[in-house]
Every structure is written in structure tokens, then in C-alpha cells.
């Protein structure tokens, strides 16, 4: 139990957005993808996910870990209603229309509440994504459903302390989510094998150093000094505990930082590349497109579309 308390205490939580939607036009998104963790509470109607299109019942919650692409159907969609995630983002308002909680009971169409949030270990590792768990349904958990509703209800208010209350509710959401996983013994093997980074403080030191110096020298020679291991061993050591080699992890973190800068600043692509550690802008652009499947400029447009309610 103490181990899992340590896990929960180590996870930094940040609310990103939440809203209620009625399904204006049924749609199947073949590769639905959010950069943050996503919970979708189905109030009424039809919600399906995965290649087998597993059905979520009314009152149940679909959880999708950050960065995990998943086939999702909103409403009674047919084969003709399928589209990619990028197309969905560009046409989101045609399919999902924002509604307030006071209007939900009077709506006859399919209706959901959707909340996205970050959950990062020491503000570095995407916790649920790092566990390797797939999207899954949360059944028979009224408390978690109530917390999801409270987050969005508070976001609709314009009262003092709103941001603080949302933060508290979002932290409760993550705690209840972890409790649900443990109580129902879900993904036990994934939890035990993929969370080894909590057990070695030297690895945490490297995580923190990488985050603070994302635009600087992050060679194996530097990381070896941080972890107090030999340069020849540091790559093997890092991969043994995380499953990936340090330079691949560093590139991923640099690209994540670049996406955040694209989302939150108006800095040029060249300046963003330099800020996250790429002196060669052309190389940065090639690596970015290789990782995300689209150029950095288009990613900036995509991230702005994500926030369209």
C-alpha cells in the first residue's frame, strides 16, 4: 500500500479542458487521439470503442490514456460516417455540440461529458501512458462519474476559487481512477512491470535533469554523471528500467516540449527547435514530421482546433 501511496503522491495532475456534448451527427473516429488522458462519461445514447467496437453503457466511463490512439464511435455511426482524427478535429462542431449541465436532462440526442487532464510522474513521464494500459471501460463507479460531472460543472461557473476547485476535483479524479484500477485488479502485470522507475532515485534524477535541461547537452556522458554510473552502462541502465534507450526518450521529451510551445506561444518553428535542443531547423522539422506524421506548422493549427468547444 505504501508503494502505491508513493505512486499517487508522485503524480502531478493538471486539468486541461472539459465539456458536455450532444451528438449532433453520429461519427466514428478511426484513430481518435488526445495528447492528454481522456475520460468520457456517457449520459445517454451510444458510445463504442476499439477495433471490436465494445459498447459503453449509459452511466459508464471510457478512459483513454494520453497519446493512445483508439477507434471511437459517438452515436449510432455507420461505416459511411468514419473519418480520421484530423478530419474530425476540423469538423468537430458539426458532430459534437456543446451543452450546459442544466440542458442535459432535456436533450433527447446522445449526450456525453468529456474531461481531459495531464497526469505526469515528477512532471516528466505521462503516468497512464507509461504503464502501457489500453483504453478501457470503468463500470459501476458512481463516485468517479460524479467527480467528472463536478469538474465540468465548476468549469461552467464564474465564481472566486474556480481554478482551485477544478484542480482539487481533477486530482480526486486521478486518485479514484488509480483506486479503481487497483480495486478491480486491472492491468496488474502492466502496473508491476512498467512502474519500476519509482523504485530508483537515480532514474528520477535523470528524468528531472532532462526536463530542466531539455535544450542543452543531454548526451550519455552527461546523463552518466547525473546518475553516477559509467558512460558505457548508462544507456543499458536507463533501458532496463524504462524499456527505451535514453536518447529515444530525450527526443520524445523534446518533441513534447515543442508541441507545448506550438500550442502556447507564437514563437517561430526555428526558435522552438533551438529551444528544445535542435540547432538544425531542417533536421528538427524532419524528426518532428516523422514522429507526429505532420509538419510542425500543421501541428500548431491542429492544437488550436483541439481547443474548439
Amino acid at each position: 500500500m505504501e508503494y502505491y501511496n508513493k505512486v499517487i503522491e508522485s503524480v502531478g495532475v493538471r486539468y486541461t479542458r472539459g465539456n458536455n456534448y450532444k451528438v449532433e451527427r453520429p461519427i466514428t473516429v478511426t484513430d481518435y487521439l488526445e495528447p492528454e488522458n481522456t475520460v468520457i462519461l456517457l449520459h445517454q445514447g451510444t458510445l463504442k470503442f476499439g477495433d471490436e467496437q465494445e459498447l459503453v453503457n449509459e452511466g459508464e466511463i471510457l478512459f483513454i490514456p494520453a497519446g493512445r490512439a483508439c477507434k471511437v464511435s459517438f452515436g449510432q455511426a455507420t461505416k459511411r460516417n468514419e473519418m480520421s482524427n484530423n478530419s474530425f478535429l476540423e469538423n468537430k462542431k458539426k458532430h459534437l455540440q456543446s451543452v450546459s449541465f442544466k440542458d442535459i436532462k432535456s436533450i433527447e440526442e446522445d449526450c456525453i461529458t468529456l474531461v481531459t487532464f495531464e497526469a505526469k510522474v515528477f512532471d516528466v513521464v505521462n503516468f497512464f501512458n507509461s504503464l502501457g494500459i489500453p483504453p478501457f471501460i470503468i463500470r459501476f463507479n458512481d463516485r468517479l462519474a460524479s467527480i467528472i460531472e463536478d469538474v465540468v460543472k465548476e468549469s461552467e461557473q464564474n465564481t472566486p476559487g474556480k481554478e482551485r476547485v477544478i484542480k482539487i476535483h481533477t486530482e480526486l479524479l486521478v486518485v479514484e481512477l488509480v483506486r479503481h484500477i487497483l480495486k478491480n485488479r486491472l492491468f496488474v502485470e502492466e502496473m508491476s512491470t512498467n512502474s519500476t522507475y519509482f523504485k530508483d532515485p537515480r532514474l528520477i534524477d535523470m528524468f528531472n535533469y532532462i526536463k530542466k535541461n531539455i535544450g542543452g547537452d543531454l548526451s550519455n556522458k552527461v546523463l552518466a554523471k547525473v546518475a553516477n554510473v559509467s558512460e558505457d552502462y548508462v544507456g543499458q541502465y536507463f533501458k532496463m528500467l524504462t524499456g527505451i534507450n535514453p536518447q529515444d526518450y530525450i527526443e520524445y521529451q523534446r518533441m513534447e516540449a515543442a508541441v507545448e510551445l506550438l500550442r502556447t506561444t507564437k514563437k517561430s518553428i526555428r526558435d522552438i527547435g533551438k529551444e528544445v535542443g535542435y540547432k538544425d531547423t531542417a533536421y528538427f522539422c524532419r524528426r518532428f514530421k516523422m514522429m507526429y506524421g505532420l509538419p510542425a506548422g500543421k501541428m500548431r493549427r491542429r492544437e488550436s482546433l483541439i481547443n474548439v468547444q
Side-chain angles (χ1 to χ4, degrees), residues 9-23:
E9 288 298 320
S10 300
V11 176
V13 178
R14 184 176 72 88
Y15 166 83
T16 49
R17 77 183 195 283
N19 209 344
N20 306 302
Y21 297 102
K22 71 173 181 178
V23 181

Side-chain angles (χ1 to χ4, degrees), residues 136-253:
F136 67 95
I137 298 173
I138 300 169
R139 306 186 192 276
F140 314 116
N141 196 321
D142 292 340
R143 175 165 171 73
L144 194 49
S146 178
I147 293 171
I148 292 169
E149 291 182 346
D150 288 343
V151 170
V152 179
K153 284 178 182 177
E154 190 65 31
S155 72
E156 293 180 352
Q157 304 299 315
N158 188 21
T159 53
K162 168 182 171 179
E163 299 302 324
R164 181 69 178 272
V165 172
I166 289 175
K167 183 176 187 296
I168 291 170
H169 285 323
T170 308
E171 289 178 341
L172 276 174
L173 191 159
V174 172
V175 171
E176 287 298 325
L177 186 52
V178 173
R179 285 177 175 176
H180 180 88
I181 290 172
L182 296 175
K183 180 181 178 181
N184 293 278
R185 296 190 60 78
L186 302 172
F187 317 114
V188 174
E189 184 176 345
E190 289 89 340
M191 287 281 282
S192 62
T193 59
N194 294 339
S195 59
T196 51
Y197 44 79
F198 288 107
K199 302 173 183 177
D200 196 317
R202 293 176 298 176
L203 185 61
I204 298 302
D205 287 342
M206 281 200 285
F207 281 152
N208 286 328
Y209 186 86
I210 290 168
K211 180 185 178 184
K212 292 176 182 177
N213 299 276
I214 198 66
D217 182 3
L218 294 174
S219 62
N220 280 6
K221 182 178 181 178
V222 171
L223 296 181
K225 290 181 179 179
V226 173
N228 196 27
V229 297
S230 72
E231 184 178 350
D232 291 337
Y233 177 65
V234 69
Q236 180 184 341
Y237 164 76
F238 191 97
K239 187 170 184 178
M240 178 177 64
L241 293 177
T242 65
I244 59 175
N245 71 59
Q247 294 308 315
D248 286 344
Y249 172 79
I250 288 165
E251 179 166 56
Y252 174 76
Q253 291 302 317

Side-chain angles (χ1 to χ4, degrees), residues 89-105:
L89 290 174
E90 292 175 355
N91 297 277
K92 185 176 180 180
K93 284 188 174 181
K94 294 180 182 178
H95 299 278
L96 301 182
Q97 182 176 330
S98 298
V99 293
S100 65
F101 261 109
K102 65 181 181 181
D103 296 327
I104 285 179
K105 291 183 179 179

Side-chain angles (χ1 to χ4, degrees), residues 103-136:
D103 296 327
I104 285 179
K105 291 183 179 179
S106 62
I107 294 173
E108 297 182 358
E109 293 93 336
D110 299 44
C111 188
I112 62 172
T113 294
L114 185 149
V115 172
T116 64
F117 60 93
E118 285 185 354
K120 292 188 175 181
V121 181
F122 296 99
D123 296 324
V124 177
V125 181
N126 282 313
F127 175 62
F128 294 107
N129 182 283
S130 71
L131 296 179
I133 62 178
F136 67 95

Side-chain angles (χ1 to χ4, degrees), residues 13 57 60 71 109 265 275:
V13 178
N57 295 315
E60 295 179 343
K71 185 175 182 179
E109 293 93 336
T265 75
E275 190 165 333

